[in-house]
Amino acid sequence: MNCNELKNLIGEVEDLAVFSQTSEAAAHLKTCTECRARLTFEEKLRQGFAGIASEAAPPDLAAKIMAIQAEQLSRAENRIGSSETGSWFDRLLLSLQGFPFKVAFAAGFTGFLAAVLILRQPQTTPVSQPSTIASGQRQDVPAPGGEDRLLLAKSENKSLQAHPEESSELAGVSPQKEYESDSSPMQMAMAPENRQQDIKKIDSKAETSRTYDEERIPGAITFTLDSSDDAFIADKAAGAATLADQPAASEAEMQLAMAPERESAKLKSVSPAETSRFSAPPLAVAAPARIAASRKAALDETDPVGEELREILESSGIDLPEGFINLEELAMRGYLPSAKLRRLRPPAGNGWYLQKTGDKLRVFLKKR
Amino acid sequence: MTISPEELWKDARRGDQSAWQQIYGLFGGPVYQFFLRNTRNVEMAADKTQEVFLRIFKNRDAFGGGSLKSWIFRIARNLLIDEWRRSGHREVLSDNLPEVADQSMQVEEEVINAIEHAQMKALIDECLELLDEDSRMTVCLVYLAGLSIPELAEVMEMPLGTAKTRVRQARLKLDAMLCEKMQIKRVEQGL
């Protein structure tokens, strides 16, 4: 036996004392000190591990583990006992196996369907007092986007706020009166003053309709709540529609809002369509005319600063491409004196736009 | 005449409290020490030991013969791995073990003989803490729980050859550490 063989055997044998007594191992161990050291080390190691393994576990652990057996056995006995005494109940449960779940599922599904149907049904009770109007609160309109806000600011109409006296008048409407005149429409959105007559013409029942000195918001919805059948009637002439087919403010309407007063007046002469339910406003006919008119008006309108810039461009002979004009670049290239640069600088968010029509140049402000 | 653990188990599962006590006497300490050396947490070791005995009695019908020791330590090992995974421990028991160089015995016989039993226990404890998880678990299963290599292969659900390799690699690491510590002791004690 050599050292390697002995080393391998030392690691595998279970009883080292017996192994060391075998003739082959004993013969090798007599002559090899390293293997003797290895055997001694192995014996010490095993004794050390045995000592660790024999270290007692905490005393309360023994008590807990001893209780496991009794507890588990008593539970098992209880199960057996309950299964014997409660056999009729078990049979009943067995016969109903699956049944309660089916019933519960069917009931739940029916309830869900009923809830959906109830929620989908229109409200049949009359709206006695609309909270926003009755309390004189301002009807909030979805905030327009950045460009829309600018366009609205440019328009010459009045503020969005309703007249306080009208609000108070509205607040004074008793629920009973409201109920009696249930065919009268409730103007919920901001109808402009000049729209009042249109509304009156459209709906003969609009005797109790209130007027609001509010801005005509393009794309804003004017709702007429006919509480007799509780449906929202769209004021088509006001560019509104029913909830179902509510259009967003179109470009044409935006252009209309931008148009100067005289153009607006011209456009307002367009006869309002009849109020109808569930029909979209006839923008297809009116819109092109409005757009053309507003474009024409815009062309007529000249900005003196823009004119000055146009003149500079024409006089300098610089050939700029159509689009936004970079004033800083012009100044850097020496076409624009710094004094003029400050004066010609457009308001924040806007830029001077160069438009070429044949040989003619047009410079106007445009939102960037 | 000694009764085998499997025979004791038959009695214990029928409700023999004495048999159950003997089973605890046989495996309670090693199972507790197995958890204690691997987790270094006294409370957790006690809880896990209780869990092992609860599981074996709850699933007493699942034991279909074989080695009771292997069955108990398989449950213990699985509980330990679950605990390691729960506590965000790295995945244990990788298949590819790094090779450890086999070194000759670096300590003389007289130095080893001079080490007392208590000192040896302390040295083993120190080295176990330094071992990697895989090696520590293997060493504990073989030397603390007293599993043979075939039993280890059964517990760790791996081929016999792989189990042998694991034990050898773990022992090489442990021996190297122990030898180093013994050399330090030798210098300290002026042997």
Side-chain angles (χ1 to χ4, degrees):
Chain A
M1 183 180 280
N2 59 30
C3 291
N4 266 340
E5 287 171 347
L6 189 93
K7 190 172 71 179
N8 290 337
L9 284 170
I10 284 173
E12 288 174 12
V13 294
E14 285 191 15
D15 195 338
L16 286 173
V18 172
F19 170 71
S20 60
Q21 299 301 315
T22 57
S23 56
E24 281 187 359
H28 183 80
L29 286 168
K30 261 185 193 171
T31 55
C32 184
T33 51
E34 196 179 315
C35 286
R36 260 203 319 272
R38 191 176 290 279
L39 183 68
T40 313
F41 176 79
E42 189 69 27
E43 282 171 347
K44 288 268 182 187
L45 184 81
R46 291 189 186 193
Q47 284 169 7
F49 270 115
I52 291 171
S54 64
E55 280 177 11
D60 59 326
L61 179 64
K64 284 177 190 169
I65 288 170
M66 291 315 294
I68 287 171
Q69 187 197 33
E71 192 185 332
Q72 292 294 318
L73 284 172
S74 67
R75 276 190 191 177
E77 279 170 14
N78 286 342
R79 272 204 299 273
I80 293 162
S82 63
S83 67
E84 282 170 359
T85 53
S87 55
W88 66 270
F89 187 66
D90 288 344
R91 279 200 297 276
L92 179 66
L93 283 178
L94 198 68
S95 65
L96 291 173
Q97 199 172 23
F99 179 71
F101 298 107
K102 286 172 193 167
V103 170
F105 178 76
F109 186 68
T110 313
F112 174 73
L113 278 180
V116 167
L117 286 172
I118 288 164
L119 288 171
R120 281 179 65 87
Q121 236 175 14
Q123 195 182 345
T124 50
T125 53
V127 179
S128 58
Q129 191 154 359
S131 61
T132 53
I133 295 172
S135 59
Q137 287 172 355
R138 178 183 162 185
Q139 179 76 34
D140 285 334
V141 175
E147 193 168 357
D148 303 343
R149 207 175 292 138
L150 182 80
L151 294 171
L152 287 170
K154 282 178 75 181
S155 68
E156 295 170 5
N157 287 331
K158 301 276 165 61
S159 74
L160 287 167
Q161 202 78 35
H163 275 307
E165 62 271 18
E166 284 178 357
S167 295
S168 60
E169 187 193 332
L170 286 168
V173 176
S174 69
Q176 184 59 33
K177 189 179 171 185
E178 193 74 30
Y179 181 70
E180 280 164 5
S181 61
D182 63 346
S183 62
S184 66
M186 275 192 302
Q187 300 298 329
M188 290 173 69
M190 291 67 70
E193 206 166 354
N194 54 13
R195 290 282 312 127
Q196 289 171 24
Q197 288 171 4
D198 293 343
I199 293 163
K200 280 174 187 171
K201 259 188 272 174
I202 289 158
D203 195 342
S204 59
K205 292 181 278 181
E207 55 182 330
T208 56
S209 67
R210 281 88 188 169
T211 60
Y212 304 91
D213 186 16
E214 292 169 347
E215 184 180 285
R216 164 78 172 83
I217 305 290
I221 305 164
T222 303
F223 286 107
T224 305
L225 181 63
D226 184 356
S227 55
S228 62
D229 56 359
D230 205 34
F232 285 98
I233 299 168
D235 181 357
K236 194 161 69 174
T242 60
L243 277 175
D245 55 6
Q246 170 196 345
S250 64
E251 171 131 12
E253 286 173 329
M254 287 303 199
Q255 294 285 351
L256 176 61
M258 277 179 72
E261 216 174 60
R262 63 177 183 278
E263 194 59 35
S264 296
K266 201 163 73 180
L267 290 168
K268 278 168 193 169
S269 67
V270 176
S271 62
E274 289 297 315
T275 301
S276 67
R277 292 181 189 182
F278 309 113
S279 60
L283 291 172
V285 180
R290 290 177 188 171
I291 294 164
S294 65
R295 277 183 185 161
K296 191 174 177 294
L299 283 169
D300 292 341
E301 199 178 60
T302 51
D303 192 325
V305 185
E307 271 301 296
E308 190 184 344
L309 183 59
R310 186 185 61 77
E311 280 168 12
I312 291 168
L313 292 175
E314 280 179 345
S315 62
S316 64
I318 185 170
D319 186 27
L320 286 177
E322 205 172 47
F324 282 107
I325 302 163
N326 190 340
L327 294 180
E328 273 73 16
E329 196 187 343
L330 284 177
M332 274 171 64
R333 288 162 71 182
Y335 293 112
L336 203 63
S338 57
K340 279 191 177 177
L341 173 68
R342 278 196 293 276
R343 197 152 49 80
L344 294 173
R345 191 163 275 149
N350 293 292
W352 289 113
Y353 195 87
L354 175 67
Q355 192 181 45
K356 288 179 176 175
T357 317
D359 289 337
K360 276 195 168 183
L361 297 182
R362 186 175 160 245
V363 177
F364 58 94
L365 268 178
K366 192 174 178 184
K367 187 169 171 58
R368 278 188 185 273
Chain B
M1 182 189 163
T2 53
I3 305 171
S4 70
E6 288 75 24
E7 284 171 349
L8 281 171
W9 173 247
K10 281 178 191 169
D11 294 337
R13 61 176 291 194
R14 280 198 297 264
D16 187 339
Q17 204 165 1
S18 161
W20 179 244
Q21 198 168 359
Q22 284 183 67
I23 284 172
Y24 175 71
L26 280 173
F27 303 114
V31 170
Y32 174 76
Q33 292 300 330
F34 170 76
F35 283 120
L36 184 62
R37 304 298 152 180
N38 280 291
T39 62
R40 298 270 151 190
N41 185 327
V42 176
E43 285 177 5
M44 191 186 284
D47 287 348
K48 295 289 169 196
T49 307
Q50 194 182 345
E51 180 70 20
V52 168
F53 280 89
L54 183 67
R55 283 196 186 190
I56 64 168
F57 206 84
K58 262 188 176 176
N59 305 306
R60 53 192 177 276
D61 297 330
F63 178 63
S67 166
L68 182 70
K69 195 194 324 186
S70 298
W71 186 47
I72 289 173
F73 278 98
R74 184 187 285 192
I75 292 168
R77 179 217 176 224
N78 291 340
L79 277 173
L80 181 67
I81 292 174
D82 286 350
E83 181 55 38
W84 278 347
R85 283 178 181 159
R86 198 167 28 245
S87 57
H89 212 274
R90 69 173 181 83
E91 192 64 28
V92 294
L93 301 176
S94 56
D95 287 332
N96 302 319
L97 288 170
E99 276 296 317
V100 180
D102 190 359
Q103 295 169 332
S104 59
M105 206 66 216
Q106 297 164 343
V107 190
E108 293 83 10
E109 196 181 354
E110 55 268 29
V111 177
I112 299 167
N113 279 325
I115 299 283
E116 292 172 7
H117 179 63
Q119 281 179 324
M120 193 66 185
K121 270 172 62 178
L123 285 176
I124 290 170
D125 197 31
E126 283 174 34
C127 293
L128 280 178
E129 199 174 350
L130 297 173
L131 271 181
D132 60 281
E133 289 86 356
D134 294 0
S135 303
R136 186 166 59 228
M137 184 191 272
T138 308
V139 164
C140 285
L141 284 170
V142 174
Y143 295 99
L144 271 183
L147 295 178
S148 64
I149 305 292
E151 282 174 333
L152 180 77
E154 196 187 332
V155 166
M156 294 179 80
E157 296 162 340
M158 58 176 59
L160 189 66
T162 312
K164 273 185 184 175
T165 309
R166 281 192 182 277
V167 175
R168 197 179 70 243
Q169 296 285 318
R171 269 303 302 273
L172 286 172
K173 287 180 197 170
L174 181 69
D175 291 357
M177 286 178 191
L178 278 169
C179 286
E180 196 182 327
K181 288 204 177 282
M182 280 194 284
Q183 291 286 15
I184 294 166
K185 278 248 180 280
R186 177 194 174 193
V187 172
E188 283 173 359
Q189 292 174 358
L191 286 169

